[in-house]
Amino acid sequence: MENLKGVRVAILVDNGFERVELTEPRKALEEAGAETKIVSPQEKEVRAWETKQWGGQYPVEQRLDEAKPDNFDALLLPGGVMNPDHLRMNPKAVSLVKAFFDAGKPVAAICHGPWTLIEADAAKGRKITSWPSLKTDLKNAGADWADKEVIVDQNLVSSRKPDDIPAFNREMIKLFAEKAGKSRAA
């Protein structure tokens, strides 16, 4: 297990994120020593989606309006259909995602999470995977889309679906340790 001690990870979500795509990667990050914060445009709580119905609510630990990219070393973008659809229409969310890419910080996106990458102009020229319904959107944005369990391209790791979470977590932790760990040591 890679050491992420001192690495601060923003988990950007809005209502309708797929619960397991937040909880399982978060658990893996924290077990590796990372500090995580749920960042959201919602005031106090953000609501999860549980496969085909609403799931539990999770406390917002950092309001999107107050989130500063300099306060984080890495970014996690869970999927779910509603969540990234809301985020990609929110200029502050798009700006936050773009700031991570502009700074060369590592980003992990799963399922529908890459939708927000398109709006942040971060998909072009990258190898990427996602939920299959995003294939055309990502290709139209200039990405090289592939149907693979996990893809790492520079500072981005992406996966397709909840079944890919073990591989996603493994590669996310490796990438965050390599990229975010170096920036923390510098």
Side-chain angles (χ1 to χ4, degrees):
M1 183 63 72
E2 301 285 342
N3 183 358
L4 296 180
K5 186 173 172 86
V7 173
R8 301 160 302 178
V9 181
I11 304 172
L12 180 60
V13 290
D14 203 340
N15 287 325
F17 66 89
E18 189 70 41
R19 182 197 58 80
V20 71
E21 294 173 3
L22 181 148
T23 58
E24 291 303 308
R26 184 181 206 185
K27 178 181 171 190
L29 287 165
E30 290 179 349
E31 285 176 354
E35 301 166 29
T36 65
K37 277 195 177 177
I38 295 176
V39 176
S40 178
Q42 298 303 316
E43 289 285 329
K44 296 182 182 183
E45 292 182 325
V46 62
R47 198 165 189 192
W49 188 253
E50 191 79 39
T51 312
K52 295 183 179 187
Q53 63 189 14
W54 285 107
Q57 294 191 14
Y58 292 79
V60 172
E61 297 158 329
Q62 176 85 66
R63 291 255 311 125
L64 177 59
D65 291 344
E66 301 164 353
K68 294 179 177 44
D70 291 344
N71 293 338
F72 297 99
D73 304 300
L75 175 64
L76 170 60
L77 296 170
V81 178
M82 290 175 273
N83 164 52
D85 196 41
H86 293 304
L87 292 175
R88 69 187 180 141
M89 298 302 294
N90 183 319
K92 289 181 180 176
V94 172
S95 179
L96 181 69
V97 172
K98 184 171 178 11
F100 275 87
F101 281 98
D102 289 349
K105 294 180 180 185
V107 175
I110 187 167
C111 193
H112 287 78
W115 252 347
T116 312
L117 303 181
I118 294 169
E119 295 302 319
D121 201 27
K124 187 175 185 177
R126 291 184 184 274
K127 291 181 183 171
I128 195 167
T129 193
S130 68
W131 187 256
S133 65
L134 274 65
K135 174 183 177 178
T136 301
D137 293 344
L138 286 161
K139 283 185 167 190
N140 287 342
D144 179 9
W145 187 89
D147 184 13
K148 293 189 175 179
E149 176 179 64
V150 65
I151 294 176
V152 178
D153 185 339
Q154 301 168 54
N155 63 327
L156 173 66
V157 60
S158 58
S159 280
R160 303 169 299 188
K161 57 190 174 183
D163 290 346
D164 297 337
I165 288 175
F168 178 69
N169 286 349
R170 180 187 68 241
E171 296 301 324
M172 173 184 62
I173 289 169
K174 191 186 308 181
L175 179 70
F176 286 11
E178 178 188 331
K179 302 286 185 182
K182 281 183 185 175
S183 69
R184 298 290 299 157

